[in-house]
Amino acid sequence: MRAPTIRDVAERAGVSKSLVSLVLRGSDQVRPEKRDAVLRAARELGYRPNAAARSLSEQRTRTVGVLLNDLRNPWFVDLLDGLNSLLHANGLRMLLADARLNRRTGQDPADPLLDLRVDGLVVVGTLPDPAALGQVAERIPVVLAGSREPAPPGVDVVAGDDERGALLVAEHLIGLGHRRIAHIAGYGAVGELRRRSFEATMRRHGLADEVLVEPSDMTEEGGYRTTVRLLSRPDRPTAVFAVNDIAAIGVLSAAEELGLRVPRDLSVVGYDNTSIARLRHVWLTTVDNSSHEVGRRAAQCLLERFEGAGGAGRVHLATPTLEIRGSTAPAP
Amino acid sequence: MRAPTIRDVAERAGVSKSLVSLVLRGSDQVRPEKRDAVLRAARELGYRPNAAARSLSEQRTRTVGVLLNDLRNPWFVDLLDGLNSLLHANGLRMLLADARLNRRTGQDPADPLLDLRVDGLVVVGTLPDPAALGQVAERIPVVLAGSREPAPPGVDVVAGDDERGALLVAEHLIGLGHRRIAHIAGYGAVGELRRRSFEATMRRHGLADEVLVEPSDMTEEGGYRTTVRLLSRPDRPTAVFAVNDIAAIGVLSAAEELGLRVPRDLSVVGYDNTSIARLRHVWLTTVDNSSHEVGRRAAQCLLERFEGAGGAGRVHLATPTLEIRGSTAPAP
DNA sequence: GACAGGTTCTGGAACGGTCCAAAGAGGGGC
DNA sequence: GCCCCTCTTTGGACCGTTCCAGAACCTGTC
């Protein structure tokens, strides 16, 4: 009942295990008859190479670990898609781990991946523990994807250009005639960049005095509560730019509850172009991060580092685009 | 620069590698001084056990593979949570693979997991290839979680009780005074069970003639189009029960577009209690699968099989509950 | 028929752990 | 001082691969 090994295949094909190894790795230094015999034996036995043995011997796993920080907020799906396409084309597999699941259990969420000796690590989203990551980066290539956190030395960062995205939003709203525009801000590097670029763009259009910025926690609830507060002001804004789609959903709920129609009375813009924004029932104008491209470039970074490219960590930015849907309209 | 091995630790602590192995596995047959010396050496060198070497030698990986079929529809998040809690408590790690990502690339999505020689496999959602799964099940325990597909011999199934769930929905709506109730059906075992139980419950309440069933593809778009058709009928229903939350969102959009207010003019119920149903902007009445419980029981099944429990595959059903939110109201 | 040169195949040493049989150390009783 | 027994510690085989050095086998040439 034990799984067949390379020796079992060798015996059945009447050759040495070395030859089986050669055949299975596609060597052309093998006579066709022997090759056929080996392949037939392998097929008949249902042989599968043992990845543990292989990686022990090869000193590499052909596997890249991907650390996600929260499966509940699925903005990263396109990113994984892009990542996988390039990795797969280069014979690498991808292993996922959810940081949130392991966080409660106390240990570092990357531990299982590191014990498996992944050849590289992609951290998607906010990073768990910068210090620990720096140590990891000394051993294997590490790429931070989808978030602009300050990275430890030697770590590449690939993300959307948040400043450009926020600029697109601001100019879209200004172009629609909005002047009093609120921003529901977030935290972290991402929140900071979007907010600052939004403010700068408003200033450039002479609307410095119309800017309204409120902090939030990037959740639906946060977006909701902040908006209730904003819309109760006497000088209430005619448009709201939320730091991400989830918070924007909160904005929509608040507007609805206060009797304002979107987009007639209030324009709303999100960020990330998640699947939720695409729901017809939501149909949110938002910024598309070109996550697929971010994923591809993250894979590219890893591949280059595998090839031996050293050097300090670099920052790659993908150009976002504005996805105009039904939640924005000319100012009332 | 190479990662330290057990030999490096042994040398630094001035003992044999066997002793290091003993200490690291927590044996109590070791003198305290030696134990301390070993632990100190390991800490100083930043030693991490090599999972490949360990599993090669132990003939097991202490790892369970989890095959997801689509990260975009995140109904499985709670399930993973439940799964992980029990597995982790038993010293097992969890490795995720997305079937959809690998499907386009041609090969069996479980391959990477099987090459790694996972000790068990959990398939979450609709299963990819029943025949292939049967073969896998001959070697390692396999559990099908969250979906009631017909399983190959020896495979356990853990899922929500779809019949009970659909019954809860039907009785809730009937209790609110609805008579003409439509069901937007899905496909697969899940779709079948929910539909049949819905029909049976309606019949039991003498509403066999009021049942309206339309097939759909379980997407938002499908829910939308089907609802437009349903609501254009002269005898339009006063309530719609959609096969899942995503399709229910489509129902909401269609109602909105046709000028019907939910829940005043139309009650809508979904299924799965996904995070989308919980959004204030959606606030959908839906069925909670108790996915966390499903995950826990799936883990339980695996653990029992690891302990040597054989036998034919069993089916475990978790009891669902109705989550009443804002999309249902008394019939107009 | 010996030899060179190429092609094809094989044995054995890694890789980094676990585990077992046996060696070594220490203590107690005679 | 010797023997026995228990508690610690160790060397070495093994897990399933890869890879290298060299063996075996061809083919052609002089």
Side-chain angles (χ1 to χ4, degrees):
Chain A
M1 253 324 280
R2 253 187 45 264
T5 74
I6 204 172
R7 275 166 230 268
D8 300 323
V9 176
E11 196 176 337
R12 177 172 257 254
V15 299
S16 73
K17 65 178 178 37
S18 303
L19 187 64
V20 175
S21 175
L22 278 177
V23 170
L24 295 178
R25 278 172 302 128
S27 162
D28 54 351
Q29 300 283 78
V30 178
R31 278 222 310 280
E33 313 94 85
K34 298 259 182 177
R35 173 194 314 283
D36 292 347
V38 168
L39 291 177
R40 179 153 19 86
R43 195 167 353 100
E44 286 166 1
L45 290 174
Y47 169 79
R48 306 187 63 89
N50 180 319
R54 173 175 292 175
S55 56
L56 190 56
S57 173
E58 275 192 318
Q59 293 291 77
R60 63 195 193 124
T61 51
R62 295 169 186 277
T63 299
V64 171
V66 178
L67 197 59
L68 301 170
N69 67 4
D70 189 359
L71 283 174
R72 290 193 145 81
N73 187 352
W75 60 270
F76 55 78
V77 183
D78 287 325
L79 194 157
L80 288 187
D81 235 6
L83 197 58
N84 190 55
S85 64
L86 219 64
L87 292 180
H88 189 271
N90 287 74
L92 293 163
R93 43 166 72 91
M94 220 171 72
L95 234 37
L96 271 40
D98 180 10
R100 198 186 45 79
L101 282 180
N102 295 28
R103 190 165 311 147
R104 272 172 319 168
T105 63
Q107 53 185 335
D108 192 301
D111 276 358
L113 294 174
L114 297 179
D115 287 350
L116 285 168
R117 295 289 195 272
V118 290
D119 294 337
L121 186 66
V122 179
V123 179
V124 176
T126 319
L127 76 177
D129 179 355
L133 209 59
Q135 289 211 328
V136 176
E138 288 172 16
R139 287 248 138 77
I140 56 172
V142 175
V143 176
L144 216 59
S147 133
R148 298 276 293 279
E149 309 287 322
V155 171
D156 294 311
V157 176
V158 185
D161 185 343
D162 292 303
E163 292 173 289
R164 171 118 189 101
L167 178 146
L168 288 175
V169 172
E171 299 205 325
H172 170 58
L173 291 173
I174 294 170
L176 286 170
H178 293 277
R179 296 180 53 81
R180 192 135 194 83
I181 306 174
H183 176 49
I184 297 187
Y187 51 83
V190 164
E192 193 80 354
L193 287 165
R194 292 179 189 173
R195 175 179 62 72
R196 278 224 284 263
S197 166
F198 167 73
E199 290 172 345
T201 309
M202 288 291 278
R203 223 177 297 125
R204 225 173 16 257
H205 284 78
L207 297 173
D209 296 341
E210 310 284 355
V211 169
L212 227 57
V213 172
E214 289 272 350
S216 89
D217 58 358
M218 291 172 116
T219 65
E220 192 217 0
E221 181 65 18
Y224 170 82
R225 276 205 303 265
T226 309
T227 307
V228 168
R229 209 175 324 130
L230 275 171
L231 297 183
S232 315
R233 298 169 58 126
D235 56 345
R236 68 171 173 75
T238 62
V240 177
F241 165 34
V243 67
N244 66 4
D245 285 353
I246 302 280
I249 303 286
V251 177
L252 293 179
S253 315
E256 190 176 16
E257 205 170 299
L258 295 175
L260 295 177
R261 302 281 291 183
V262 171
R264 208 192 57 194
D265 309 322
L266 185 74
S267 285
V268 179
V269 184
Y271 206 113
D272 287 345
N273 196 16
T274 56
S275 54
I276 298 181
R278 262 167 283 185
L279 294 175
R280 205 186 290 257
H281 182 57
V282 175
W283 212 237
L284 184 69
T285 295
T286 185
V287 177
D288 187 303
N289 274 318
S290 46
S291 297
H292 195 274
E293 176 64 16
V294 171
R296 282 185 64 90
R297 289 216 210 163
Q300 195 84 55
C301 284
L302 276 185
L303 292 170
E304 280 166 16
R305 299 256 174 197
F306 288 157
E307 295 305 320
R314 304 207 297 141
V315 177
H316 299 249
L317 295 186
T319 307
T321 56
L322 191 65
E323 192 71 37
I324 299 176
R325 298 213 177 86
S327 65
T328 47
Chain B
M1 255 322 282
R2 253 187 44 264
T5 76
I6 202 173
R7 277 164 228 267
D8 300 323
V9 176
E11 196 176 338
R12 177 172 257 256
V15 299
S16 71
K17 65 175 177 41
S18 303
L19 187 64
V20 175
S21 175
L22 278 178
V23 170
L24 294 179
R25 277 172 302 129
S27 160
D28 55 351
Q29 299 283 81
V30 178
R31 276 223 310 280
E33 313 96 83
K34 299 259 181 178
R35 174 195 312 284
D36 292 347
V38 167
L39 292 177
R40 180 153 18 88
R43 194 164 359 96
E44 286 166 1
L45 290 174
Y47 170 78
R48 308 188 61 91
N50 180 320
R54 174 175 292 174
S55 56
L56 190 56
S57 169
E58 275 192 318
Q59 295 289 73
R60 64 189 192 129
T61 51
R62 298 169 185 276
T63 299
V64 170
V66 179
L67 198 59
L68 302 170
N69 67 6
D70 188 0
L71 283 173
R72 291 193 145 79
N73 187 353
W75 60 269
F76 54 79
V77 183
D78 286 325
L79 194 155
L80 289 188
D81 234 8
L83 197 57
N84 190 56
S85 65
L86 221 64
L87 292 180
H88 190 271
N90 287 73
L92 293 163
R93 46 165 70 90
M94 219 170 74
L95 234 35
L96 272 40
D98 180 9
R100 197 186 45 78
L101 282 181
N102 294 28
R103 190 166 311 147
R104 273 173 317 167
T105 63
Q107 52 185 335
D108 192 302
D111 276 357
L113 294 173
L114 297 179
D115 287 350
L116 285 168
R117 295 288 195 274
V118 290
D119 294 337
L121 186 66
V122 179
V123 179
V124 176
T126 319
L127 75 177
D129 179 356
L133 210 59
Q135 289 212 328
V136 176
E138 287 173 17
R139 288 247 138 77
I140 56 172
V142 175
V143 176
L144 215 60
S147 136
R148 297 276 293 278
E149 310 287 322
V155 171
D156 293 312
V157 176
V158 185
D161 185 343
D162 292 303
E163 292 173 289
R164 172 115 189 101
L167 177 146
L168 288 175
V169 171
E171 299 206 323
H172 170 58
L173 291 173
I174 294 169
L176 286 170
H178 294 275
R179 297 179 53 81
R180 191 134 194 84
I181 305 175
H183 176 49
I184 297 188
Y187 50 84
V190 163
E192 193 79 353
L193 288 164
R194 293 179 188 172
R195 175 179 61 73
R196 278 222 284 265
S197 167
F198 167 72
E199 290 171 346
T201 309
M202 288 291 279
R203 222 177 297 126
R204 221 168 24 252
H205 284 79
L207 297 173
D209 296 341
E210 310 284 357
V211 168
L212 227 57
V213 172
E214 290 274 347
S216 87
D217 59 357
M218 291 173 117
T219 65
E220 191 218 1
E221 182 66 18
Y224 170 81
R225 276 204 303 265
T226 309
T227 307
V228 169
R229 208 176 324 132
L230 275 172
L231 296 184
S232 315
R233 299 168 57 124
D235 56 345
R236 69 172 174 73
T238 63
V240 177
F241 165 34
V243 67
N244 65 4
D245 286 352
I246 302 279
I249 303 286
V251 177
L252 293 180
S253 314
E256 191 176 16
E257 204 169 301
L258 296 175
L260 295 176
R261 303 280 290 183
V262 172
R264 210 193 55 196
D265 308 323
L266 185 74
S267 285
V268 179
V269 183
Y271 207 114
D272 286 345
N273 196 16
T274 57
S275 53
I276 297 181
R278 260 168 284 185
L279 293 176
R280 203 187 291 258
H281 183 58
V282 175
W283 212 237
L284 184 70
T285 294
T286 185
V287 178
D288 187 303
N289 274 316
S290 47
S291 298
H292 195 274
E293 176 64 15
V294 171
R296 282 184 64 90
R297 288 216 210 162
Q300 196 85 55
C301 285
L302 276 185
L303 292 170
E304 280 166 17
R305 297 259 174 195
F306 289 155
E307 294 305 320
R314 305 207 296 142
V315 177
H316 300 250
L317 295 186
T319 307
T321 55
L322 191 64
E323 191 72 37
I324 300 176
R325 298 213 177 86
S327 65
T328 47

